[in-house]
Amino acid sequence: MAVRTEAPLLEREAELSAVGAAIEAAAAGAGGVVVVEGPAGIGKTRLLRAARERAAASGMAVLAARASELERDFPFGVVRQLLEPAVRGGADDLLAGAARPAAAVLGVAEAAERDVLADPSYATLHGLYWLVSNLAEAGPLLLAVDDAHWADAASLRWLRFLLPRLDDLPVLLAVAARPADPAADAEALAALAADPGARLLRPRALSREPVAQLARAAIGPDAGEAFCAACLEVTGGNPFLLRELLAALAAEGARGAPEDAAHVREIAPASIARAVLVRLARLPPAARRLAEAVAVLGDGAA
């Protein structure tokens, strides 16, 4: 069975440079925040993964969480996913003193103490901060949160609580989110991005040259200019859409000939169709009716 290899990160030099600088600063004891914003498929997760790989290579400990629509109604779900692995087997030392209130959030407290989950008090937020501080005593730390637009309210509140307290800790918080997502808490995400110490990254769609490079890597070195231009046109340079389009074309045996360019505009990869249907399902009924109308009327519809 063929295994799809991951395409290289192209036109992300500025973003990777900013991530590297933030990691170096955190390793030197000056913590901070990196916020990666953008639409679906633009490559936020890839950048976050690159941050995790670079941090690990530099000797930093890495803790990661990925928010989910299915879990956003559970208070501190993202926090627990992020920090729970770190306290397994060593909870007594890490959760001592001021960090003790964090034990209830992480499921290692007595049942009587767990009512804090329903009402995240200052003591709970402060306890979670001290847990991070205790973890950072062992060395620099990266906290990576992906898909933060689906994070539960209590976790977002704690991330905001953490921001102004990172300056003197060797801790880098890296967050990826789609602020425009209908389910997003736009105010909370804006507060993360607006923090004075935050590095805000907004990766752009790929331009002509990297699209052509990826097309030729997937289809073959003989893929023509017209074919590559068609790939750019139909995907808008969105890395996810481009990857799925090229995978579908490669599976069909396309070689990038001039006659393949017309087919590029006709093909609809199943993975993209599924992704679009999932996103439409999150929108109000009026949005779905509009999408149906545009699908019938075609690209020239007003």
Side-chain angles (χ1 to χ4, degrees), residues 29-249:
V33 185
V34 170
V35 179
V36 186
E37 290 185 352
I42 203 65
K44 301 180 297 298
T45 296
R46 284 291 308 278
L47 282 172
L48 210 59
R49 190 185 314 145
R52 292 168 59 180
E53 292 169 352
R54 289 192 175 200
S58 73
M60 292 179 75
V62 177
L63 296 175
R66 186 174 184 178
S68 165
E69 284 184 293
L70 298 177
E71 299 175 357
R72 66 177 309 166
D73 293 331
F74 296 96
F76 290 113
V78 168
V79 168
R80 185 162 182 167
Q81 187 185 155
L82 187 68
L83 300 178
E84 189 176 32
V87 301
R88 269 189 214 127
D92 290 344
D93 293 336
L94 293 170
L95 293 170
R100 179 61 190 169
V105 172
L106 301 178
V108 295
E110 297 296 329
E113 297 177 310
R114 294 179 188 165
D115 59 352
V116 299
L117 293 177
D119 180 21
S121 66
Y122 176 87
T124 303
L125 302 177
H126 196 61
L128 288 165
Y129 157 74
W130 273 105
L131 170 58
V132 170
S133 180
N134 291 342
L135 288 168
E137 285 187 5
L141 175 66
L142 170 67
L143 303 176
V145 179
D146 199 4
D147 288 338
H149 46 279
W150 288 328
D152 60 277
S155 292
L156 285 174
R157 184 177 176 186
W158 178 70
L159 292 178
R160 293 177 65 179
F161 181 90
L162 186 63
L163 288 187
R165 295 165 174 81
L166 289 176
D167 291 348
D168 299 323
L169 290 179
V171 177
L172 174 62
L173 173 63
V175 178
R178 298 201 304 258
D181 191 280
D185 184 338
E187 181 180 350
L189 295 176
L192 293 176
D195 184 82
R199 289 176 167 90
L200 178 59
L201 308 180
R202 289 184 173 130
R204 297 181 179 182
L206 300 178
S207 63
R208 176 178 171 275
E209 285 304 320
V211 167
Q213 182 177 338
L214 293 172
R216 289 172 179 136
I219 300 299
D222 295 330
E225 290 295 330
F227 176 84
C228 296
C231 291
L232 174 60
E233 177 188 338
V234 300
T235 65
N238 181 289
F240 166 72
L241 298 180
L242 178 64
R243 183 181 71 243
E244 298 304 315
L245 174 69
L246 292 173
L249 289 166

Side-chain angles (χ1 to χ4, degrees), residues 240-277:
F240 166 72
L241 298 180
L242 178 64
R243 183 181 71 243
E244 298 304 315
L245 174 69
L246 292 173
L249 289 166
E252 291 186 354
R255 289 293 178 265
E259 57 269 22
D260 289 328
H263 183 53
V264 167
R265 297 178 176 87
E266 299 170 353
I267 189 171
S271 56
I272 294 177
R274 287 194 298 270
V276 170
L277 290 173

